[in-house]
Structure formats: C-alpha cells, structure tokens
Amino acid sequence: MRSFYEGLTLPIKNYDEKYNTELFDTAVIYFEKDGNIIETANELFIHKNTVRYRLEKIKEILDMDSGFYEQLAIAMKVYNVQSLK
C-alpha cells in the first residue's frame, strides 16, 4: 500500500517542490470534493479551468489517463489515514 501511495504522490510532490506549484493540494481537495471541479475551484479560490489544467498536469506527470480518479482516490485515502498518525 505504501509503494502505491508513494508512487502516486511523490512525483506530484516533487513537481510541486521543483516548480512551486500546488498540484498536490489540488488533488487533495479534488478528492475531498468527490471529483467535483466547481467545488474544488471554489475551495481553492481559483477558476474551474485552472483545476482542469492542474488535473491534466497530474495525469501527465503520472503518465495516467484510465482510472485516474479511482487511483487518486485510493492514494488520498491512504494520505488521510497517514495524516491521522
């Protein structure tokens, strides 16, 4: 489970660190809002197209298209469990 989680989150976190972006935070909120782009945009105070762009960038970084939300949701659930420790 840990390697799955790290395989999805570390590339995003590394990209954020290197380019000073907020992709990981966007992914967390996107999951918390059940994949709703408008609610994610409202929570982050950004335009919905910015959310779409960030999600596409995450897909590109992870080289993933099929099953993106499902895999991201699993990783975010693990993230939430780990943050409770």
Side-chain angles (χ1 to χ4, degrees):
M1 188 61 79
R2 173 177 235 141
S3 85
F4 175 80
Y5 165 76
E6 289 177 350
L8 257 63
T9 59
L10 287 181
I12 301 168
K13 289 179 178 181
N14 291 339
Y15 186 93
D16 279 349
E17 187 175 309
K18 183 175 181 180
Y19 296 104
N20 197 29
T21 58
E22 298 177 6
L23 300 180
F24 187 76
D25 292 339
T26 301
V28 170
I29 300 300
Y30 180 67
F31 167 70
E32 290 175 357
K33 299 299 179 184
D34 295 320
N36 186 305
I37 289 176
I38 294 172
E39 288 181 20
T40 302
N42 290 341
E43 179 77 18
L44 294 170
F45 303 104
I46 58 177
H47 193 274
K48 63 185 177 182
N49 287 342
T50 303
V51 173
R52 286 186 181 104
Y53 169 81
R54 289 179 181 179
L55 294 173
E56 286 302 316
K57 192 64 169 171
I58 293 169
K59 288 178 188 178
E60 180 184 313
I61 291 166
L62 299 176
D63 192 27
M64 180 186 301
D65 197 26
S66 173
F68 170 73
Y69 182 76
E70 293 80 10
Q71 291 184 53
L72 183 65
I74 293 168
M76 292 300 113
K77 287 177 184 179
V78 173
Y79 170 75
N80 286 338
V81 168
Q82 286 191 357
S83 64
L84 294 175
K85 291 181 179 180

